[in-house]
Amino acid sequence: MPASLARLRDLVPARARVIIDNDFSGDPDGLLQLAHHLLSPSVDIRAVIGSHLRPGDPFDASEVTADNAARAAQDVVTLAGLAGRVPVLAGSNVGLADRATPIRSAATDAIIAEAMRDDTELPLYLACGAGLTEVASAWLLEPRIAERLTLVWIGGPEHKGIAVAPPGSTGPEYNLNIDLVAGQVVFGDSDIPIWQVPRDAYRQTLLSTAELITRIGPAGVLGEHLERAITRVSVMAGAHGISLGETYIAGDSPLVLLTALQSAFEPDPSSSEYVVRFTPGFNDAGEYVEVSDARHMRVYTRLDVRLMFDDLFAKLKLLAAA
């Protein structure tokens, strides 16, 4: 039988459910992650949520960034051949006003409905590569979801004793800063289980421009779409006098690594490393603070980028061969 994505899907049944939540109108690393997740048969993608950016973000300075994110996600879903089979929803276009008031949307309703299902035993992961508005709102609306899902989040600063901030960094970490109040709710107030990929870990995910050109761009219409989205960032940065060098941080791709690419026996992200810590809260400066009676969380410290990228390249090639 020739190599094809259909054969991969025949060989690999779904063994987990995933809801994807990302700011797809922003940094295109989210588009890369979305494409990879959609091509991974071991996870059943139950919904894709387009979430908002911080006001004035240079990637999209509009007031409808969640709506734009949903449209960008739909383009990837279509290019992956899954139009009409994976729901794409827009979250809120703004962040939380305070720690007690949720923003209800079709996205939060989808999270709650999927978490509260009683007709499946497949574990549910909420894979979030942006702000935590929808996660926080869903929990505020229905706290019982905390018992029925695991949040895998790309975001947050370095933890003391594990890593230091990168040179020149100032202020709260990017994804946390999209909705700091939501971060305070999810970490400090909720009891949602968290697997965190903080900044020092997600900065390990360096994709070279040569790999982008030779292994993603030639992989059919989807590969070409992803390459153009990422190379556009270098052009945008260059127009402002910023050189990005020859690597790109595919920082959202660990969402795929930690959910779809788990070990065969005793499923777990066994090729990546983490430490267990008490879940902190965040102060108004985006710094960690201790929380009384805190629950444990995973903090990922090393990621298997070899597996993550080679699997992405292979799946894009299989799709292009279809």
Side-chain angles (χ1 to χ4, degrees):
M1 180 180 293
S4 68
L5 196 62
R7 182 169 186 235
L8 176 64
R9 287 171 172 155
D10 287 342
L11 290 170
V12 182
R15 60 178 184 173
R17 295 171 291 149
V18 170
I19 295 174
I20 297 169
D21 180 353
N22 217 329
D23 52 356
F24 298 110
S25 74
D27 187 333
D29 63 337
L31 301 180
L32 202 67
Q33 168 262 318
L34 174 59
H36 195 178
H37 248 143
L38 292 170
L39 301 179
S40 299
S42 67
V43 290
D44 179 6
I45 306 300
R46 302 302 302 166
V48 176
I49 297 168
S51 58
H52 69 91
L53 295 164
R54 187 170 174 81
D57 190 288
F59 282 106
D60 181 354
S62 76
E63 296 182 353
V64 288
T65 55
D67 295 328
N68 292 341
R71 281 191 286 272
Q74 185 62 63
D75 289 342
V76 172
V77 170
T78 299
L79 290 173
L82 296 171
R85 295 168 56 188
V86 177
V88 179
L89 308 166
S92 170
N93 282 303
V94 296
L96 297 187
D98 58 64
R99 291 168 73 157
T101 309
I103 302 173
R104 188 160 202 161
S105 66
T108 58
D109 289 349
I111 293 171
I112 294 168
E114 189 63 36
M116 300 309 294
R117 283 177 59 187
D118 58 8
D119 61 340
T120 177
E121 295 184 358
L122 294 181
L124 175 61
Y125 295 101
L126 182 46
C128 184
L132 292 166
T133 305
E134 274 62 56
V135 183
S137 290
W139 178 79
L140 286 167
L141 290 163
E142 178 48 271
R144 290 181 297 167
I145 67 170
E147 304 169 4
R148 307 172 73 92
L149 59 77
T150 297
L151 170 65
V152 186
W153 183 52
I154 309 292
E158 297 73 16
H159 288 264
K160 185 177 181 181
I162 295 178
V164 297
S169 64
T170 58
E173 183 272 334
Y174 182 89
N175 281 350
L176 175 63
N177 204 32
I178 292 174
D179 191 345
L180 179 54
V181 175
Q184 292 171 332
V185 171
V186 171
F187 273 67
D189 301 340
S190 86
D191 53 347
I192 296 173
I194 299 172
W195 294 358
Q196 183 193 16
V197 182
R199 180 169 53 193
D200 55 292
Y202 71 66
R203 280 170 52 84
Q204 297 171 21
T205 61
L206 297 181
L207 177 69
S208 80
T209 303
E211 289 175 312
L212 183 67
I213 293 171
T214 63
R215 305 191 70 180
I216 292 181
V221 291
L222 178 56
E224 182 180 9
H225 179 78
L226 296 172
E227 182 200 328
R228 288 182 176 178
I230 295 173
T231 53
R232 203 174 294 134
V233 178
S234 296
V235 175
M236 181 176 72
H240 292 85
I242 301 171
S243 172
L244 299 183
E246 59 179 282
T247 64
Y248 194 80
I249 299 174
D252 290 337
S253 290
L255 295 175
V256 185
L257 175 69
L258 301 182
T259 59
L261 300 178
Q262 297 187 5
S263 52
F265 297 99
E266 298 85 33
D268 197 58
S270 63
S271 63
S272 297
E273 296 176 0
Y274 65 89
V275 297
V276 176
R277 290 212 164 185
F278 287 111
T279 305
F282 292 108
N283 62 22
D284 290 341
E287 302 164 333
Y288 295 117
V289 292
E290 290 186 8
V291 175
S292 60
D293 299 320
R295 66 203 185 279
H296 287 104
M297 66 182 290
R298 291 187 184 187
V299 179
Y300 276 86
T301 59
R302 188 190 64 80
L303 302 166
D304 187 351
V305 294
R306 197 288 307 168
L307 171 62
M308 185 178 74
F309 283 136
D310 279 353
D311 185 73
L312 169 64
F313 301 149
K315 283 171 178 167
L316 285 171
K317 186 176 181 179
L318 288 173
L319 177 66

